[in-house]
């Protein structure tokens, strides 16, 4: 079974084999998707058993880590993204410090 190193993650096929010790958070970090996006797109209620092949959604934005003191409104304003686009990309209407969220790619009309 072929696995990419975490430090050089580049998954052109959108596939991931669940490994021993994987958690939703670990897999989300490895593939560069916020946990909520990963869970929603894969229709997961829990992480499947080791060896399961997951088809990952394409990432349609830039990964951003929410900083202490940021709110949904302040983040949307700072990043020039509408609340509607934020909710569409992330599947949630809230943020908390250290949360990984997706923002529309730079160079697109964000607001």
């Amino acid at each position: 079974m072929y696995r990419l190193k975490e430090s050089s993650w580049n998954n052109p096929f959108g596939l991931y084999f669940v490994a021993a010790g994987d958690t939703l958070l670990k897999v989300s970090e490895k593939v560069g998707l916020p946990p909520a996006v990963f869970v929603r797109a894969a229709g997961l209620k829990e992480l499947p058993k080791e060896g399961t092949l997951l088809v990952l959604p394409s990432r349609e934005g830039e990964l951003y880590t929410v900083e202490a003191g940021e709110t949904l409104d302040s983040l949307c304003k700072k990043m020039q993204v509408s609340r509607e686009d934020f909710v569409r990309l992330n599947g949630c209407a809230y943020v908390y410090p250290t949360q990984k969220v997706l923002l529309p790619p730079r160079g697109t009309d964000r607001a």
Side-chain angles (χ1 to χ4, degrees):
M1 180 179 338
Y2 181 75
R3 289 204 203 287
L4 296 170
K5 294 180 182 177
E6 286 181 47
S7 60
S8 63
W9 183 262
N10 179 6
N11 189 355
F13 305 109
L15 302 175
Y16 182 82
F17 280 99
V18 177
D22 272 346
T23 64
L24 289 174
L25 184 58
K26 284 181 184 179
V27 173
S28 296
E29 288 175 354
K30 287 179 185 178
V31 301
L33 289 169
V37 172
F38 173 65
V39 168
R40 182 186 72 221
L44 299 175
K45 291 187 174 38
E46 60 185 37
L47 190 64
K49 295 179 183 178
E50 178 183 351
T52 302
L53 178 65
L54 298 176
V55 178
L56 303 172
S58 61
R59 188 170 79 185
E60 59 173 292
E62 295 176 24
L63 199 58
Y64 177 80
T65 303
V66 178
E67 298 173 2
E70 287 183 319
T71 65
L72 177 58
D73 290 332
S74 70
L75 179 61
C76 287
K77 183 176 181 179
K78 174 181 173 182
M79 298 298 175
Q80 299 177 334
V81 60
S82 70
R83 278 178 145 274
E84 295 79 19
D85 284 345
F86 180 91
V87 172
R88 181 185 59 78
L89 283 172
N90 293 283
C92 63
Y94 58 85
V95 296
Y96 55 86
T98 72
Q99 178 184 12
K100 306 281 190 206
V101 297
L102 285 176
L103 299 172
R106 293 190 190 275
T108 62
D109 187 14
R110 287 188 164 179

